[in-house]
Amino acid sequence: MPAFTQVAARATVLRAALHPLRRRQGRAAARSDGGPDRPAPGPDARQEQPAARRSRLAGVDGLRLLAAAGVAGYHYLGTPTPEFWGPGPGRDPHRAAPLLQAAGAYGWLGVEAFFLISGFVICMSCWGRTPAQFAVSRVARLFPLYWAVVLLIAAAGAVAALAGQHPSGSTDLRTDLGNLTMIPGPLGLTATDGVAWTLWVEARFYLLMAVLLLVGLTYRRAVAFCALWLTLAAIGRELHSAVADEFLLTQYAGLFTAGIALYLMHRFGPNLLLWLLTGFSWCYTLTLLHERVAQHRLPAALGGHAPSWAVCAAVLTGFLALLALVGPGPLGRLRLRPLVYAGALTYPFYLVHQSLGIPVVRGLLKAVPALGLLPSIALGLVFSLLLAAALHRLVDRPLGRALRRRLTAALDPAPLHPAPSVPLPRGPVQRVPVRHEP
């Protein structure tokens, strides 16, 4: 009996000694997913996460499609350009489809929605990656499709010029080469793809996130990054600094930081700090929204009035609420393969709907006038969707994967000429006697 008592006492002492160690291990396990004090884990650690955490968010893909539909509605129906589809009342969306035109006039807010979604998605893409891995993923995602569309636009322009028609895109080789860089504007060139300016905004956002990755991406650093970004952007606005506008994206900073805050809620759960960050970002965004509203004022021939700021603010806030529902909210577990596929088609559709889809509609109106405006627009949108599906299958899937694989291998190439091995000295091996201490 005394022996049993001694064993039990020793077990109690051992459990008490191990208790602090277990608590420390529990904290480390809680932070191994990129918690407040540790950088995000590497790719190997990410592979150990549950499948639900790594799977795509179908609701976010659905919001991408909704934003792309809004932008297409603006370009096809809500455009403020007089006689955009040609002269005559039957070609004027204001008369042919007044309700669709009134709704399409606010479709440009889809660009703002894309930037909001980008803050969410890019923060998710950054987590658990090095800056080099993040750069490879962005290049492989964006450039193959963009290059294909630029070449298609150039080819269509060349064919139109040979047929004696006015090409919708530039047939100048210098312009085409500059557009392949995805930064035609800074190079002083006209963008052959009308939506390319948004890609340049996105590219600068990627650079800012790469800086955060260099420092080390954690929860606390992400929150501090957003707060610092908004503060510096506000100072840049006060100073009317063009440099700050270019580097800090002062017009759109609130959209990106709000998306980042919603992703942090999705990953770590909502809390007061993240809601305050979201609210501050949204107040910043809606305050500067009036500048974008003024840019979409109708010409004098169509009345000269601007869209309602209140309606724009309500539409954009509704989109923020939808992202909160499909991200950290109850719809985050939505798993619908059609939405995922629609999200995959969003980027190629966004690239082709204006520069290649609109010429198709104009060609139909010229070749078959009896078809009418709305059926021609519908056929142009169907053409854009089919072309986007073909580009996704023939370009994005094979070339994107191949480019990602090759760039990943190029990050750590093997030397072509390995250093020669140093030969070992020849001769008798001298044994060192072992001395034993007494």
Side-chain angles (χ1 to χ4, degrees):
M1 191 69 180
F4 175 79
T5 304
Q6 291 178 359
V7 171
R10 290 177 181 176
T12 302
V13 172
L14 181 61
R15 284 197 300 269
L18 290 178
H19 183 66
L21 178 61
R22 289 174 178 172
R23 291 186 60 184
R24 287 194 295 271
Q25 291 175 345
R27 293 194 192 104
R31 291 171 181 167
S32 63
D33 195 28
D37 297 324
R38 287 196 176 189
D44 295 336
R46 292 183 68 204
Q47 294 176 359
E48 298 174 0
Q49 296 176 4
R53 178 67 64 88
R54 299 194 307 269
S55 60
R56 291 179 66 95
L57 297 175
V60 176
D61 286 320
L63 291 183
R64 283 173 168 169
L65 180 63
L66 182 61
V71 175
Y74 175 75
H75 287 149
Y76 282 74
L77 294 168
T79 174
T81 305
E83 299 184 349
F84 181 76
W85 297 114
R91 304 284 182 88
D92 186 3
H94 294 79
R95 298 182 182 181
L99 293 179
L100 291 176
Q101 190 282 327
Y106 292 92
W108 58 269
L109 290 167
V111 173
E112 268 70 6
F114 271 127
F115 293 152
L116 175 64
I117 295 172
S118 183
F120 185 101
V121 172
I122 297 305
C123 188
M124 177 170 59
S125 178
C126 284
W127 220 276
R129 283 178 171 167
T130 65
Q133 291 169 338
F134 172 66
V136 166
S137 70
R138 291 296 89 199
V139 169
R141 176 71 180 97
L142 297 181
F143 273 97
L145 282 171
Y146 177 77
W147 287 333
V149 171
V150 170
L151 294 177
L152 283 176
I153 294 172
V159 171
L162 291 176
Q165 300 178 359
H166 179 69
S168 59
S170 174
T171 56
D172 175 61
L173 179 60
R174 174 177 173 270
T175 301
D176 294 332
L177 291 176
N179 273 268
L180 289 174
T181 65
M182 203 183 281
I183 52 172
L187 297 179
L189 301 173
T190 302
T192 56
D193 195 336
V195 299
W197 71 271
T198 61
L199 302 180
W200 175 229
V201 175
E202 289 277 351
R204 284 174 285 173
F205 170 54
Y206 299 161
L207 288 176
L208 292 175
M209 292 300 293
V211 172
L212 179 58
L213 281 176
L214 287 173
V215 176
L217 180 56
T218 66
Y219 169 83
R220 292 177 181 174
R221 289 173 184 171
V223 173
F225 168 79
C226 292
L228 180 62
W229 186 4
L230 287 174
T231 303
L232 294 178
I235 294 174
R237 302 283 301 186
E238 183 181 21
L239 297 176
H240 303 285
S241 172
V243 176
D245 291 341
E246 288 294 322
F247 283 96
L248 299 176
L249 306 171
T250 59
Q251 179 70 54
Y252 308 107
L255 293 166
F256 289 118
T257 55
I260 293 173
L262 289 180
Y263 174 71
L264 294 177
M265 291 185 194
H266 168 72
R267 190 176 187 91
F268 297 98
N271 58 58
L272 179 59
L273 178 61
L274 294 178
W275 281 120
L276 287 174
L277 177 59
T278 305
F280 188 88
S281 300
W282 210 242
C283 290
Y284 179 99
T285 296
L286 297 185
T287 302
L288 297 183
L289 186 62
H290 77 285
E291 297 182 3
R292 290 278 288 157
V293 171
Q295 293 174 3
H296 294 84
R297 180 182 298 274
L298 293 175
L302 299 178
H305 63 275
S308 168
W309 176 89
V311 173
C312 293
V315 170
L316 202 54
T317 302
F319 208 94
L320 174 72
L322 289 176
L323 184 58
L325 287 175
V326 301
L331 298 182
R333 299 180 180 179
L334 189 64
R335 299 288 182 267
L336 292 176
R337 292 186 63 86
L339 286 181
V340 175
Y341 181 69
L345 295 187
T346 298
Y347 178 52
F349 174 79
Y350 182 71
L351 291 177
V352 304
H353 81 275
Q354 183 180 18
S355 297
L356 293 172
I358 286 178
V360 169
V361 178
R362 288 176 173 164
L364 288 173
L365 290 173
K366 184 177 181 180
V368 192
L371 190 61
L373 178 61
L374 293 183
S376 299
I377 288 177
L379 290 176
L381 289 173
V382 170
F383 166 79
S384 299
L385 277 173
L386 293 176
L387 181 57
L391 288 171
H392 172 65
R393 182 177 182 84
L394 301 176
V395 176
D396 188 27
R397 282 184 176 179
L399 296 185
R401 292 174 181 173
L403 185 60
R404 182 180 294 107
R405 184 170 58 252
R406 293 294 183 89
L407 288 177
T408 301
L411 293 177
D412 189 19
L416 293 177
H417 305 287
S421 58
V422 179
L424 296 175
R426 296 182 178 181
V429 178
Q430 297 181 357
R431 298 182 178 275
V432 179
V434 179
R435 299 178 61 186
H436 300 279
E437 297 293 334

